[in-house]
Amino acid sequence: MTDIRHRLDEAPMGRLQIAAIILCILLNALDGFDVLAISFASPGIAREWGIDRAALGLVLSMELIGMAVGSVLLGNVADRIGRRPTILGCLVVMAAGMAGATQAWDVVSLSFIRLLTGLGIGGMLACTNAMVAELSNARSRSLAVAIMAAGYPVGAILGGSVASHLLIAGDWRDIFLFGGIVTAVFLPVSLWLLPESIGFLLQKRPQDALARINRLLGRMGHAPAAALPAPDPTATRPAFASLFAPGLARTTILLTLAYFCHIMTFYFILKWVPKIVVDMGFAPSAAGGVLVWANVGGLAGSLLLGALSWRLPVRGLVMVAMVASTCLVTVFGQGQTTLAGLSLVAACAGFFTNGAVVGLYALVAQSFPTAVRAGGTGIVIGVGRGGAALGPILAGFLFTLDFGLPAVALVMALGSLVGAALLAMLRPRPA
């Protein structure tokens, strides 16, 4: 395997690789909008069905629970059947789920639909992270994964801007209808542009592996291979148990726990900002604008961390971002009296929270070998998404106990600090 992979690691990336990475960035942007659609819609849902904050927190978390299951299950599936077919299947589930949300009639039906939608979203994120890492050359790998992860706030920014306009002229169901249409459009585009990972084909070795690899090498501008390299008998096997075998168990556990803790903080901001702003007396469309600014900050943080990762160790960058995230989310909880103040603090909090998430994805891509990269990513993101689901529920529970916003924000901000402490114990594999 070494020769072909060495060529791909050392050579400049061809047009097919760049186009496929751009597509993965757009797919992650689609994930960003699909996840946050419920946040933009939440004020309208609460008003129409008359539900309290505790019930709303549960609804806000349902697709996150689905994402946890989808990341674990479908990440493992992608290591067995391939990245490309798994991504296509996730798109079908996501499109159906977004369209189905427009037909929900109560909290239970909407929660079930969002749970199913989350399965596709979670599987998509595990697959695109592995796909980008395997399409990139060695020099650009961390940057490519960081930019891919930056697609998430791009989707939230663009989708949130559209959602704010839809809420002025229509109702919350229009947000899901828009998301379903856009998701469906990506199906034929992905069929056309998305190749299978050569790293996966070398690892799995289907019957026509050499012919498929040579077709992809040709499209990437490389000379064909005369034969497949000899299998490495010491290579990690694509099995769930391998992630917890000696040599990988420590990495798997620490990354999973760090992601779990930080993502609680991250999703407190993303899920509760619109409702908090509306409760301050502002219109739902204005609340959506504040969330857009949080994601503008998140995009800036993603791009800066990605650029710095060319020169500085990713782990250290993530730890700094997590400590700063703790401080800024706490500041957000102190309350602002104007939309401009809310938007500024939300943007700063988003800068550090999302920058740390992007860095975590780059660490995951570095830390797992090809055979278990999608599965390892799925475990970290999947189990970690328990933190994503717990964050909005815990915040809603604290609100119902009459904790004020400053106290709730302080409690939720501590997740990032714990995550930084866990990463201090990590010794990732060289990229």
Side-chain angles (χ1 to χ4, degrees):
M1 296 185 193
T2 305
D3 180 58
I4 296 175
R5 285 181 178 160
H6 180 74
R7 274 200 282 161
L8 294 174
D9 275 346
E10 297 301 319
M13 291 190 292
R15 285 179 295 180
L16 175 64
Q17 290 162 282
I18 293 172
I21 289 171
I22 291 172
L23 177 58
C24 287
I25 294 169
L26 294 176
L27 290 173
N28 200 36
L30 183 65
D31 262 15
F33 175 74
D34 284 1
V35 170
L36 292 185
I38 191 72
S39 298
F40 295 118
S42 63
I45 293 169
R47 183 174 59 253
E48 179 176 329
W49 291 336
I51 59 177
D52 62 18
R53 282 182 164 186
L56 185 61
L58 185 60
V59 175
L60 290 174
S61 294
M62 290 311 295
E63 90 271 3
L64 301 177
I65 296 171
M67 288 168 70
V69 177
S71 294
V72 174
L73 294 183
L74 297 179
N76 189 53
V77 167
D79 282 333
R80 295 179 179 277
I81 71 169
R83 287 43 166 145
R84 185 175 185 269
T86 308
I87 288 173
L88 294 173
C90 289
L91 278 172
V92 172
V93 172
M94 290 163 61
M98 293 296 284
T102 65
Q103 305 303 310
W105 61 89
D106 60 11
V107 170
V108 174
S109 61
L110 181 59
S111 296
F112 179 72
I113 291 167
R114 292 303 291 170
L115 180 70
L116 294 180
T117 308
L119 292 173
I121 297 172
M124 175 71 74
L125 188 52
C127 291
T128 53
N129 201 61
M131 178 72 90
V132 168
E134 291 160 15
L135 285 170
S136 306
N137 60 22
R139 183 171 184 268
S140 303
R141 187 162 292 130
S142 290
L143 178 62
V145 172
I147 294 175
M148 183 279 296
Y152 192 99
V154 170
I157 293 165
L158 298 179
S161 300
V162 172
S164 294
H165 288 292
L166 291 173
L167 288 171
I168 293 172
D171 69 9
W172 60 268
R173 289 178 176 81
D174 295 330
I175 297 172
F176 293 107
L177 179 61
F178 170 77
I181 292 170
V182 174
T183 304
V185 167
F186 271 96
L187 264 169
V189 176
S190 299
L191 275 168
W192 173 44
L193 280 179
L194 197 65
E196 185 53 89
S197 157
I198 287 181
F200 168 79
L201 293 173
L202 285 169
Q203 176 66 41
K204 195 66 176 176
R205 295 177 178 249
Q207 187 173 6
D208 57 347
L210 180 60
R212 291 173 66 182
I213 288 170
N214 281 336
R215 283 196 298 270
L216 289 173
L217 287 173
R219 293 173 65 191
M220 292 177 182
H222 298 288
L228 293 176
D232 180 0
T234 65
T236 305
R237 302 300 178 189
F240 180 86
S242 300
L243 296 168
F244 297 94
L248 275 182
R250 178 185 174 88
T251 295
T252 302
I253 292 168
L254 286 175
L255 281 173
T256 300
L257 291 176
Y259 188 88
F260 181 99
C261 293
H262 176 68
I263 213 72
M264 284 182 63
T265 304
F266 179 68
Y267 273 99
F268 165 67
I269 289 291
L270 290 189
K271 292 293 187 179
W272 274 104
V273 160
K275 180 61 175 170
I276 289 170
V277 174
V278 167
D279 287 349
M280 290 179 177
F282 298 102
S285 57
V290 175
L291 185 56
V292 167
W293 277 109
N295 283 282
V296 169
L299 175 60
S302 302
L303 296 177
L304 178 60
L305 190 140
L308 291 175
S309 70
W310 276 48
R311 302 292 182 185
L312 299 171
V314 175
R315 185 172 67 103
L317 291 171
V318 177
M319 291 169 63
V320 170
M322 284 180 167
V323 172
S325 167
T326 303
C327 298
L328 267 296
V329 173
T330 302
V331 170
F332 175 80
Q334 300 310 304
Q336 309 295 319
T337 57
T338 65
L339 274 176
L342 283 165
S343 298
L344 176 61
V345 176
C348 292
F351 181 93
F352 291 109
T353 54
N354 201 72
V357 170
V358 165
L360 281 167
Y361 292 152
L363 275 178
V364 169
Q366 291 177 6
S367 300
F368 294 108
T370 301
V372 291
R373 183 171 286 128
T377 302
I379 287 291
V380 172
I381 295 175
V383 177
R385 288 292 176 186
L390 180 60
I393 293 172
L394 177 58
F397 177 70
L398 292 174
F399 280 128
T400 61
L401 294 179
D402 292 330
F403 280 78
L405 178 59
V408 174
L410 175 60
V411 171
M412 302 309 299
L414 292 176
S416 294
L417 190 61
V418 175
L422 289 164
L423 288 187
M425 296 184 280
L426 179 70
R427 297 294 181 268
R429 288 156 37 102

